[in-house]
Coordinates of all heavy atoms in Angstrom, one line a residue:
V1 N 104.4 94.0 75.3 CA 104.5 93.3 74.0 C 105.9 92.8 73.7 O 106.8 93.6 73.8 CB 104.0 94.2 72.9 CG1 104.0 93.6 71.6 CG2 102.6 94.7 73.2
I2 N 106.0 91.5 73.4 CA 107.4 91.0 73.2 C 107.3 90.4 71.7 O 106.6 89.6 71.4 CB 107.7 89.9 74.1 CG1 107.7 90.4 75.6 CG2 109.1 89.3 73.8 CD1 108.1 89.4 76.6
G3 N 108.2 91.0 70.9 CA 108.2 90.7 69.5 C 108.8 89.3 69.1 O 109.4 88.6 70.0
A4 N 108.6 88.9 67.9 CA 109.0 87.5 67.4 C 110.4 87.3 67.6 O 111.3 88.1 67.3 CB 108.6 87.4 65.9
G5 N 110.8 86.1 68.2 CA 112.1 85.7 68.3 C 112.9 86.3 69.5 O 114.1 86.1 69.6
A6 N 112.3 87.2 70.3 CA 112.9 87.8 71.4 C 113.2 86.8 72.5 O 112.4 85.8 72.7 CB 112.1 89.0 71.9
T7 N 114.3 87.0 73.3 CA 114.6 86.2 74.4 C 114.8 87.0 75.7 O 115.5 88.0 75.6 CB 115.9 85.4 74.1 OG1 115.7 84.6 72.9 CG2 116.3 84.5 75.2
V8 N 114.1 86.6 76.7 CA 114.3 87.3 78.0 C 114.8 86.2 79.0 O 114.2 85.2 79.2 CB 113.0 87.9 78.5 CG1 113.2 88.7 79.8 CG2 112.3 88.7 77.5
L9 N 116.0 86.5 79.6 CA 116.7 85.5 80.3 C 116.9 86.0 81.8 O 117.3 87.1 82.0 CB 118.1 85.2 79.7 CG 118.1 84.6 78.3 CD1 119.5 84.4 77.8 CD2 117.4 83.2 78.3
G10 N 116.7 85.0 82.7 CA 117.0 85.3 84.1 C 115.8 85.9 84.9 O 114.7 86.2 84.2
P11 N 115.9 86.1 86.1 CA 114.8 86.7 87.0 C 114.7 88.2 86.8 O 114.6 88.9 87.8 CB 115.3 86.3 88.4 CG 116.8 86.3 88.3 CD 117.1 85.8 87.0
V12 N 114.7 88.7 85.6 CA 114.6 90.1 85.3 C 113.1 90.5 85.4 O 112.2 89.7 85.2 CB 115.2 90.5 84.0 CG1 116.7 90.1 84.0 CG2 114.5 89.8 82.8
V13 N 112.9 91.8 85.5 CA 111.5 92.3 85.5 C 111.4 93.2 84.3 O 112.1 94.2 84.1 CB 111.3 93.1 86.8 CG1 109.9 93.7 86.7 CG2 111.4 92.2 88.0
V14 N 110.4 92.9 83.5 CA 110.0 93.8 82.3 C 108.8 94.6 82.7 O 107.7 94.1 83.0 CB 109.7 92.9 81.1 CG1 109.3 93.8 79.9 CG2 110.8 92.0 80.7
G15 N 109.1 95.9 82.9 CA 108.1 96.8 83.4 C 106.8 97.0 82.6 O 106.9 96.8 81.3
R16 N 105.7 97.3 83.2 CA 104.5 97.4 82.4 C 104.6 98.4 81.3 O 105.3 99.4 81.3 CB 103.4 97.8 83.4 CG 103.5 99.2 84.0 CD 102.4 99.4 85.1 NE 102.5 98.4 86.1 CZ 101.6 98.2 87.1 NH1 100.5 99.0 87.0 NH2 101.7 97.4 88.0
N17 N 103.7 98.2 80.3 CA 103.6 99.0 79.1 C 104.9 99.1 78.3 O 105.0 100.0 77.4 CB 103.3 100.5 79.5 CG 102.0 100.6 80.3 OD1 101.0 99.9 80.0 ND2 101.9 101.4 81.2
S18 N 105.8 98.1 78.4 CA 107.1 98.2 77.7 C 106.9 97.3 76.4 O 106.0 96.5 76.3 CB 108.2 97.6 78.5 OG 108.5 98.5 79.6
K19 N 107.9 97.5 75.5 CA 107.9 96.7 74.3 C 109.3 96.1 74.1 O 110.3 96.8 74.3 CB 107.6 97.6 73.0 CG 106.2 98.1 73.0 CD 106.0 98.9 71.7 CE 104.6 99.5 71.7 NZ 104.4 100.4 70.4
I20 N 109.4 94.9 73.7 CA 110.7 94.2 73.4 C 110.7 94.0 71.9 O 109.8 93.2 71.4 CB 110.9 92.9 74.2 CG1 110.6 93.1 75.7 CG2 112.2 92.3 74.0 CD1 111.5 94.1 76.4
G21 N 111.7 94.5 71.2 CA 111.7 94.4 69.8 C 112.0 92.9 69.4 O 112.7 92.2 70.1
S22 N 111.6 92.6 68.2 CA 111.9 91.3 67.6 C 113.4 91.0 67.6 O 114.2 91.8 67.2 CB 111.3 91.2 66.2 OG 109.9 91.4 66.2
G23 N 113.7 89.7 68.0 CA 115.1 89.3 68.0 C 116.0 89.8 69.1 O 117.2 89.5 69.2
S24 N 115.4 90.6 70.0 CA 116.2 91.2 71.1 C 116.5 90.2 72.1 O 115.8 89.2 72.3 CB 115.5 92.4 71.7 OG 115.3 93.4 70.8
V25 N 117.6 90.4 72.9 CA 118.0 89.5 74.0 C 118.1 90.4 75.3 O 118.9 91.2 75.4 CB 119.3 88.8 73.8 CG1 119.7 87.9 75.0 CG2 119.2 87.9 72.5
V26 N 117.1 90.2 76.2 CA 117.1 91.0 77.4 C 117.6 90.2 78.6 O 117.2 89.1 78.9 CB 115.6 91.3 77.7 CG1 115.5 92.2 79.0 CG2 115.0 92.1 76.6
V27 N 118.7 90.8 79.3 CA 119.3 90.2 80.4 C 119.3 91.1 81.6 O 119.9 90.7 82.7 CB 120.7 89.7 80.1 CG1 120.7 88.6 79.0 CG2 121.6 90.9 79.5
K28 N 118.7 92.3 81.5 CA 118.6 93.2 82.6 C 117.2 93.7 82.7 O 116.4 93.7 81.8 CB 119.6 94.4 82.4 CG 121.0 94.0 82.4 CD 121.9 95.3 82.2 CE 123.4 94.9 82.2 NZ 124.3 96.1 82.0
D29 N 116.9 94.3 83.9 CA 115.5 94.8 84.2 C 115.2 95.9 83.2 O 116.1 96.7 82.8 CB 115.4 95.3 85.6 CG 115.5 94.3 86.7 OD1 115.3 93.1 86.3 OD2 115.6 94.6 87.8
V30 N 113.9 95.9 82.8 CA 113.4 97.0 81.9 C 112.5 97.9 82.6 O 111.5 97.4 83.2 CB 112.7 96.3 80.7 CG1 112.1 97.3 79.7 CG2 113.6 95.4 79.9
P31 N 112.8 99.2 82.6 CA 111.9 100.1 83.3 C 110.5 100.1 82.7 O 110.3 99.7 81.5 CB 112.5 101.5 83.2 CG 113.9 101.2 82.8 CD 113.9 99.9 82.0
E32 N 109.5 100.6 83.4 CA 108.1 100.7 82.9 C 108.2 101.7 81.7 O 109.0 102.6 81.6 CB 107.2 101.2 83.9 CG 107.0 100.3 85.1 CD 106.0 100.8 86.1 OE1 105.5 102.0 85.9 OE2 105.8 100.2 87.2
N33 N 107.2 101.5 80.8 CA 107.0 102.4 79.7 C 108.2 102.6 78.8 O 108.5 103.6 78.3 CB 106.6 103.8 80.2 CG 105.4 103.7 81.1 OD1 104.4 103.2 80.8 ND2 105.6 104.2 82.4

């Protein structure tokens, strides 16, 4: 689930069952869960 206004940049991997908070900027891999 990726919240409103969030940005995920580059060939990163967002692991399963994860949540990205609204307005966040993700530039590194996110572990599962």
Side-chain angles (χ1 to χ4, degrees):
V1 177
I2 303 182
T7 301
V8 186
L9 297 175
V12 300
V13 177
V14 180
R16 64 185 61 192
N17 302 322
S18 294
K19 295 180 182 180
I20 309 298
S22 299
S24 301
V25 178
V26 178
V27 293
K28 295 181 179 179
D29 290 348
V30 176
E32 296 180 0
N33 308 304

